[in-house]
Amino acid sequence: MKKIVALALLALVLGVGGIAIWVYHSLRTSVHHDKSSQYIDISRGSSPTVIIRKLAAAGVVRNEWPLIIYVRFTGEGARFKAGEYRFPSPISPFAVFDRLKEGEERVIRLTIIEGWTRWDIARAMVQIPELQLDEVDEALELMDDVSLIQDIDPAAKNLEGYLYPDTYELPDDIAPSAVIATMVKRFRNAWKPEWSAKAESLKISPRDTVTIASLIETEAKLSSERPLIASVIYNRLIKDMPLAIDSTVIYAAKIDGKWRNDGKVYKSDIERRSPYNTRLRAGLPPGPVASPGASSLSAALNPASTDYLFYVREPLRNDGAHNFYSNEKDFYVGVQALRNWEHQRDRENAKKKAQESNGSK
């Protein structure tokens, strides 16, 4: 009799253990599904069992019972929140439960990169189906609403420079004009109260500040270099030297609809007669040429104290670092070093390409 009881207990232990292993394995196993681009509505008041069965019907989870057993024994289901969810594929039930506990509303995400122009932002907006924008020009027209910044920049002709770079999570029914207003509001939140006083002490306007910051944003790859590039801009302005910043040349080409967007600045671009072309004219361009981030705005108001007038990319580093110079002679030595490096790189790339081509024959 004792043996029978012992065997029964052993069978029970093994059975419970087997179920536990089955449940644990089911919870950790990721499932591929075809609903990753669709929202699944979890209604308020839905029980954990109803939620799991709904997700199973959608293919987001596979085996219902291990999950139902888990939530009943752990009480995790009580933490599930109503909302509209999108679940990536593949995803494990554990990851599904984490999302359900965090809660999720239907939103659209829009990421604006530091240094983007209004054309870049307009293209990104057109890519969001919920905004229902058919053409880039539709978004660009919305960026002409300068009433949003009239108090900051009375001279503004559009919102270039004031569409703050960030990742935005927005309601899926938001109007495109409200998206633009949100970006401007984020700029206002980023602009520190003391910056207006700082700009006044430098004898520049907020518009000049944003313009200088936009130039810094397009030129600097390293945060540590932003104040140095700012110092070059200020030093050239004092000496009435053309800033010769390529992003302004590119911006002028974009205004005229002539930018080829192949990464190259052509002779026709450099020779374009435009107030934005800082290769041909001294002083700041008429306005910002991109969306600057907080660090570039800060650098525009806090330039380093240097006598630098030139900078050129450091060829031995691949992080965008520059070498800075206070005289033209040393600058041209740096330019020549960069050109030599570029020629060497091009030769090595051509040689490698030829070898790969011969190897594939």
Side-chain angles (χ1 to χ4, degrees):
M1 185 64 181
K2 290 183 179 180
K3 288 184 178 180
I4 294 174
V5 172
L7 289 172
L9 288 172
L10 178 61
L12 179 62
V13 170
L14 291 174
V16 172
I19 292 172
I21 292 172
W22 173 56
V23 170
Y24 182 75
H25 181 265
S26 298
L27 289 166
R28 292 182 62 85
T29 301
S30 294
V31 172
H32 290 268
H33 62 90
D34 60 1
K35 298 293 192 300
S36 59
S37 62
Q38 300 177 23
Y39 284 94
I40 297 176
D41 181 39
I42 303 300
S43 303
R44 190 176 301 278
S46 298
S47 69
T49 299
V50 168
I51 293 172
I52 289 169
R53 285 178 175 162
K54 185 168 191 175
L55 295 175
V60 176
V61 298
R62 188 161 294 157
N63 298 318
E64 298 176 27
W65 284 108
L67 314 188
I68 292 172
I69 290 171
Y70 175 77
V71 297
R72 283 184 179 174
F73 273 90
T74 63
E76 288 282 274
R79 300 170 60 191
F80 293 170
K81 297 178 181 178
E84 295 178 282
Y85 294 84
R86 281 201 294 191
F87 298 98
S89 177
I91 189 170
S92 71
F94 268 139
V96 169
F97 289 170
D98 285 342
R99 281 178 173 257
L100 291 171
K101 287 183 287 186
E102 290 173 2
E104 186 173 315
E105 295 181 1
R106 186 180 295 210
V107 296
I108 57 176
R109 289 179 175 82
L110 174 62
T111 298
I112 307 303
I113 306 298
E114 289 90 344
W116 271 13
T117 66
R118 56 196 166 102
W119 289 280
D120 299 317
I121 296 170
R123 281 193 291 271
M125 291 179 65
V126 169
Q127 295 301 312
I128 298 176
E130 290 88 346
L131 295 180
Q132 299 180 5
L133 292 168
D134 296 324
E135 302 290 340
V136 168
D137 285 346
E138 291 182 59
L140 287 172
E141 286 179 13
L142 298 172
M143 298 175 193
D144 291 338
D145 183 8
V146 295
S147 66
L148 297 171
I149 56 166
Q150 198 69 41
D151 58 323
I152 300 175
D153 186 354
K157 300 295 189 290
N158 54 62
L159 296 175
E160 188 73 85
Y162 300 98
L163 303 168
Y164 196 71
D166 205 345
T167 294
Y168 296 86
E169 292 191 350
L170 307 161
D172 70 323
D173 59 350
I174 191 171
S177 58
V179 175
I180 300 299
T182 300
M183 294 182 201
V184 175
K185 183 178 180 181
R186 193 71 58 87
F187 171 86
R188 287 179 173 276
N189 291 338
W191 182 271
K192 298 179 181 179
E194 62 268 24
W195 285 357
S196 295
K198 181 66 174 178
E200 188 175 350
S201 72
L202 292 171
K203 295 182 172 55
I204 60 174
S205 66
R207 178 177 179 82
D208 291 337
T209 303
V210 178
T211 299
I212 293 169
S214 74
L215 301 178
I216 296 168
E217 193 68 69
T218 60
E219 293 290 286
K221 297 295 183 291
L222 303 178
S223 294
S224 60
E225 288 191 353
R226 287 186 169 92
L228 295 174
I229 289 176
S231 75
V232 172
I233 292 172
Y234 279 102
N235 291 341
R236 280 179 165 255
L237 290 173
I238 291 170
K239 292 181 176 293
D240 202 30
M241 295 174 63
L243 298 180
I245 293 177
D246 281 347
S247 60
T248 65
V249 175
I250 294 169
Y251 198 84
K254 288 181 177 180
I255 289 175
D256 287 352
K258 301 294 185 181
W259 175 239
R260 304 187 198 186
N261 201 30
D262 59 1
K264 299 178 181 178
V265 177
Y266 291 88
K267 186 172 183 286
S268 58
D269 297 324
I270 294 172
E271 294 175 347
R272 179 167 284 103
R273 295 290 172 177
S274 167
Y276 280 91
N277 188 347
T278 61
R279 280 180 176 265
L280 295 183
R281 63 180 297 276
L284 290 174
V289 298
S291 291
S295 60
S296 290
L297 287 165
S298 178
L301 293 168
N302 298 280
S305 179
T306 77
D307 60 354
Y308 295 145
L309 293 170
F310 307 90
Y311 55 86
V312 68
R313 181 184 165 191
E314 165 52 62
L316 299 182
R317 291 174 58 172
N318 60 3
D319 57 358
H322 294 87
N323 292 318
F324 292 82
Y325 308 94
S326 57
N327 63 79
E328 201 167 19
K329 180 180 177 181
D330 290 342
F331 168 65
Y332 280 122
V333 171
V335 170
Q336 191 58 52
L338 177 61
R339 287 176 178 168
N340 291 340
W341 176 84
E342 289 174 337
H343 290 324
Q344 179 65 26
R345 178 200 59 190
D346 292 343
R347 284 196 297 269
E348 290 176 356
N349 288 341
K351 182 179 179 181
K352 183 178 179 181
K353 189 174 181 179
Q355 290 173 342
E356 291 174 350
S357 177
N358 291 333
S360 63
K361 292 179 180 179

